[in-house]
Amino acid sequence: MIDGYVPVLGSVLTHGAWVAGAASFIVVPGGPFVLARLMERRWLTPRSEFAAISYGDPLLAVAIGLGVWLLDGAPPHGAAAAPFGMASLAGWLVFGLWQWCAELRAGFYTRDQALAPTKIYHQLVVYPLLGYWSWTAVIGGILSQRSGGAAVAKVASLCCALAWVAANVYDRRHPRLGHPPYLWRRLRPRPLPWGRESVTLRAASLPSADTSSIGTQASDLPNDHQ
């Protein structure tokens, strides 16, 4: 297949800009928001979360929606075609697995944080799925021949995607909690107070950090060792 979408996963991009943008927004930040509330017993707030999830990911959803609008029902071709889209999906999945291990080795997260529901979802779902959608829609939109405001839409889509990149770069220098230490055998995060064994836990322990949204207190669970 030279042109077109990756089967099944690409179908979201065939129903118009609003569907594509909404689906991207549901995947993230929608997915992490639901997992954080139901499983990690906390609210995701811009003050306590990484800039990428609070601002970058919604802008990426806009970029995807604009890209689909630019495609205007035409199948993506060239660098946005299905083989390159599949390569993007696989590449982001490999990157997610590599980053997962690298962050653990570097002490960015503890093991319990790295196995939190939102972290697993981010590395195994968000990266490959949004990686494929954004590549196909943004690159496909830029390569499209649509007229009537297309130039503005192409610049806007590219700027939104670059803003997502910038948010991720910013997050490396300004860590937040990201994911709480999680106890899968009890299906809830570890009780407060937490230690300072990782970069993100140390960041969360600063006076300016907002950890008040975590619903599990020390009195809720026995104080297991990390």
Side-chain angles (χ1 to χ4, degrees), residues 69-70 72 144-154:
W69 179 82
L70 286 164
D72 195 25
S144 73
Q145 302 299 315
R146 180 164 185 166
S147 58
V152 174
K154 289 180 180 181

Side-chain angles (χ1 to χ4, degrees), residues 102-110 113 197-202:
E103 288 175 336
L104 189 58
R105 287 197 304 267
F108 197 73
Y109 294 114
T110 65
Q113 286 181 282
E197 292 85 357
S198 69
V199 171
T200 51
L201 285 180
R202 289 193 292 274

Side-chain angles (χ1 to χ4, degrees), residues 13 20-21 24 59-69 130 133-134 137-138 157:
L13 306 180
S24 302
L59 287 173
L60 191 61
V62 174
I64 291 170
L66 287 171
V68 170
W69 179 82
L130 268 292
W133 285 351
S134 59
V138 175
S157 179

Side-chain angles (χ1 to χ4, degrees), residues 11 47 50 62 72 99-100 105 119 129-130 170 190 201 210 217 224:
S11 63
R47 182 181 176 186
F50 285 111
V62 174
D72 195 25
Q99 185 191 57
W100 211 349
R105 287 197 304 267
K119 182 60 174 174
L129 188 55
L130 268 292
Y170 175 88
R190 285 186 177 276
L201 285 180
D210 179 13
Q217 301 298 323
D224 296 341

Side-chain angles (χ1 to χ4, degrees), residues 41-55:
R41 307 191 180 197
R42 63 189 180 114
W43 293 104
L44 296 188
T45 63
R47 182 181 176 186
S48 63
E49 292 306 310
F50 285 111
I53 193 170
S54 298
Y55 308 107

Side-chain angles (χ1 to χ4, degrees), residues 7 19 41 43 52 61 77 79 83 88 91 93 108 119-121 136 154 169 172 178 185 190 194 196 202 206 213 225:
V19 171
R41 307 191 180 197
W43 293 104
H77 63 277
S88 175
L93 178 59
F108 197 73
K119 182 60 174 174
I120 295 172
Y121 176 83
T136 301
K154 289 180 180 181
V169 172
R172 293 296 103 180
R185 62 184 177 276
R190 285 186 177 276
W194 295 325
R196 296 167 58 88
R202 289 193 292 274
L206 296 175
S213 60
H225 295 294

